[in-house]
Amino acid sequence: MEETNYELVLSCPTGLSPSQVSVVLDPSYDRIAHPDIELENSISEIWDQRVQKNASMFNGKKFRYGGHTLCKRDGSQQDFHVCLHLGLTDYRTFVGTNLNPLWEKFLVPSEDDLIQCQHTSCPLGHPEPEEVGAASHQMGEHLTNSEHNNSKVSQEMFDSIIREVVEEIGVPVTSLSNPLFIGISRRVLNVRPAAFFFIKCNIESKEIQRLYAGAKDGYESTQLYTVSLIELENMASKMPGCHQGGFALYKLMLEAMKNI
């Protein structure tokens, strides 16, 4: 079997809408501190070094991936539902664990991925806990116990990806389709998970390039490419492992669409 740089943690090839994705936010899905004090202290040491080099670095709160459960209420893909188990973490801990040169030392020898990664930050993409009043479990205690407010966390998964596209590419939100959740990929190197969504834009590529030049957060990237599927396939081997996994999820979605 050919080795890959990624693991498909969750694949939803037909694409899930917000009504098909729920969230349980609970402290039991938070990161567990590593028993090695020196290794644990390296988190703050690495962060301090990064901040000295770049004073603009911000330690924002993030949702931590802690697993998921699946169900099919009537056996059909249309009634497919996923519940994401989320804890809280932050960018500082992500830099100090997943991006630590000693990241492998944070791993626990186990066949269970969640146990293996229990000492790592493992933030899941762009959702912002502050957007739904859950910057801490104390602040978000009502979120943990309320199905209605947990749905706000789930909706933030979808809202955050729209914000990223609008702010970093510059296209108007009205030009975008509703996002569909297509799965989660984990990079083999540093075990970083990433959630992936499918969005369509109804603007032609030349106009998108023009809008990108004036994007609010365009400085977060150096260039925007518009490519064909074949060109993207050729570029895939140069992508980070988690993004290779994202492309694999996209191709599974395309295959599923052929059968609809």
Side-chain angles (χ1 to χ4, degrees):
M1 181 179 294
E2 182 182 355
E3 289 189 11
T4 62
N5 297 319
Y6 63 87
E7 173 192 358
L8 296 186
V9 177
L10 171 62
S11 176
C12 309
T14 56
L16 303 185
S17 65
S19 65
Q20 295 173 284
V21 181
S22 63
V23 163
V24 173
L25 177 65
D26 191 88
S28 64
Y29 303 121
D30 287 0
R31 170 185 173 267
I32 298 173
H34 199 282
D36 185 328
I37 300 301
E38 288 189 11
L39 186 61
E40 191 70 11
N41 288 341
S42 72
I43 297 174
S44 58
E45 292 169 0
I46 288 177
W47 178 255
D48 291 343
Q49 292 169 8
R50 291 283 193 101
V51 171
Q52 286 179 0
K53 294 179 180 178
N54 182 3
S56 66
M57 288 186 67
F58 175 68
N59 183 26
K61 295 292 183 179
K62 295 291 180 183
F63 290 112
R64 180 181 185 273
Y65 176 69
H68 65 270
T69 53
L70 301 172
C71 68
K72 294 181 182 179
R73 294 189 178 88
D74 63 3
S76 69
Q77 287 294 331
Q78 286 72 25
D79 212 15
F80 191 85
H81 182 271
V82 60
C83 178
L84 298 175
H85 305 162
L86 302 180
L88 291 175
T89 186
D90 53 40
Y91 188 62
R92 169 184 172 274
T93 310
F94 169 59
V95 170
T97 58
N98 294 90
L99 300 188
N100 192 319
L102 303 176
W103 66 271
E104 289 179 289
K105 291 191 175 183
F106 281 95
L107 302 183
V108 176
S110 174
E111 294 296 321
D112 186 319
D113 288 345
L114 300 179
I115 293 175
Q116 181 189 48
C117 300
Q118 66 184 8
H119 300 309
T120 61
S121 175
C122 292
L124 191 61
H126 300 290
E128 304 288 347
E130 288 93 342
E131 291 289 332
V132 292
S136 70
H137 287 295
Q138 288 71 36
M139 290 176 62
E141 187 173 2
H142 63 290
L143 295 176
T144 303
N145 300 318
S146 168
E147 182 176 342
H148 170 70
N149 285 316
N150 262 342
S151 69
K152 292 182 180 179
V153 180
S154 175
Q155 186 61 47
E156 170 60 10
M157 297 284 295
F158 291 82
D159 291 346
S160 65
I161 196 65
I162 289 288
R163 285 198 307 270
E164 289 293 313
V165 172
V166 171
E167 294 172 2
E168 295 188 18
I169 298 180
V171 294
V173 66
T174 53
S175 70
L176 302 174
S177 67
N178 292 326
L180 292 176
F181 176 63
I182 61 173
I184 298 172
S185 168
R186 189 192 340 259
R187 191 177 186 178
V188 172
L189 176 69
N190 74 32
V191 296
R192 177 184 184 178
F196 288 90
F197 296 80
F198 175 71
I199 305 174
K200 288 184 179 180
C201 181
N202 61 19
I203 300 176
E204 292 187 355
S205 59
K206 288 184 179 179
E207 176 63 9
I208 292 176
Q209 290 286 2
R210 187 188 68 79
L211 292 168
Y212 171 68
K216 175 185 174 184
D217 290 346
Y219 64 88
E220 294 191 13
S221 58
T222 57
Q223 191 170 346
L224 177 68
Y225 294 90
T226 53
V227 298
S228 67
L229 182 59
I230 294 177
E231 289 172 317
L232 189 58
E233 183 85 54
N234 294 332
M235 296 166 59
S237 63
K238 299 178 182 178
M239 297 178 185
C242 53
H243 296 153
Q244 290 182 29
F247 183 52
L249 290 169
Y250 173 61
K251 290 193 292 184
L252 289 172
M253 184 200 72
L254 295 179
E255 285 297 318
M257 289 174 63
K258 293 178 181 178
N259 299 321
I260 295 178

